[in-house]
């Protein structure tokens, strides 16, 4: 039996939270893509983290509503690749979980400063898909926090949250 997880309405991903105003944001959709691509590449080549994320078997779609950026993420194909990702919809898999959020919320979440559950409850993130997939993928995505913090500290320090 398949269950569905859903947030509130199509505009739910619009950021309404306190603290988001103080959060540094991405200067452009290109910068957001550059940061996400660097993060996913770092995880893909990391034997420990990449293997753990691949084991969760993610098939996810992220839409960053304020920047018009789409990220499709899936487990690697097993040929030396832990992850596959594309910034378009030319993918060979069907996402089992879809998340909509603005890039400021994404920056907070990836730095471990935003709880996905609370962001959904407060309307900053909209989510839909298979509930079993959410229970598996969301904890696995927490593995991105440390590599993201490291990347931000080394290459994009203006995005760091104090």
């Amino acid at each position: 039996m398949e269950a569905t997880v859903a947030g509130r309405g199509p505009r739910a991903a619009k950021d309404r939270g306190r603290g988001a105003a103080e959060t540094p944001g991405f200067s452009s959709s290109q910068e957001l893509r550059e940061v996400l691509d660097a993060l996913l590449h770092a995880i893909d080549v990391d034997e420990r983290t990449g293997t753990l994320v691949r084991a969760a078997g993610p098939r996810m779609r992220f839409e960053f509503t304020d920047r018009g950026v789409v990220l499709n993420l899936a487990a690697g194909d097993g040929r030396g690749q832990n992850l596959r990702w594309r910034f378009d919809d030319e993918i060979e898999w069907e996402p089992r979980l879809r998340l909509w959020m603005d890039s400021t919320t994404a920056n907070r979440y990836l730095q471990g400063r935003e709880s996905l559950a609370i962001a959904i409850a407060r309307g900053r993130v909209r989510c839909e898909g298979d509930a079993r997939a959410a229970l598996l993928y969301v904890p696995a995505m927490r593995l991105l926090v440390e590599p993201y913090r490291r990347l931000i500290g080394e290459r994009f320090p203006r995005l760091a949250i104090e």
Side-chain angles (χ1 to χ4, degrees):
M1 181 172 188
E2 194 167 299
T4 298
V5 177
R8 294 187 237 169
R11 300 209 188 269
K14 188 164 181 76
D15 189 16
R16 292 176 251 174
R18 293 180 317 181
E22 303 92 29
T23 302
F26 294 93
S27 61
S28 66
S29 59
Q30 181 61 37
E31 182 181 45
L32 174 59
R33 287 175 57 139
E34 180 182 349
V35 170
L36 292 172
D37 191 57
L39 170 65
L40 294 170
H41 178 72
I43 291 168
D44 186 46
V45 300
D46 181 276
E47 189 174 320
R48 181 189 165 281
T49 305
T51 301
L52 290 171
V53 174
R54 184 185 73 218
R59 289 192 343 232
M60 302 176 71
R61 176 184 170 90
F62 298 86
E63 289 188 43
F64 304 98
T65 56
D66 61 327
R67 295 290 175 198
V69 173
V70 171
L71 169 65
N72 284 290
L73 174 67
D77 57 13
R79 291 175 259 161
Q81 185 181 33
N82 288 311
L83 298 174
R84 297 180 290 165
W85 65 93
R86 291 194 57 111
F87 291 100
D88 59 34
D89 288 321
E90 295 179 23
I91 55 175
E92 302 164 357
W93 64 86
E94 182 66 29
R96 292 183 62 201
L97 185 64
R98 292 172 176 82
L99 297 168
W100 292 264
M101 66 186 81
D102 65 33
S103 62
T104 302
T105 300
N107 188 36
R108 291 182 57 80
Y109 171 65
L110 287 168
Q111 290 189 52
R113 305 295 181 125
E114 179 83 64
S115 160
L116 194 58
I118 291 172
I120 291 169
R122 291 184 177 167
R124 289 193 294 267
V125 173
R126 184 172 162 243
C127 173
E128 74 178 27
D130 183 330
R132 287 175 285 168
L135 291 172
L136 185 60
Y137 301 166
V138 171
M141 292 301 103
R142 295 297 293 166
L143 294 168
L144 278 60
V145 171
E146 195 51 44
Y148 185 79
R149 283 183 183 164
R150 201 169 32 253
L151 174 68
I152 294 301
E154 293 170 3
R155 293 184 43 199
F156 304 94
R158 68 170 202 77
L159 293 171
I161 299 171
E162 301 298 322

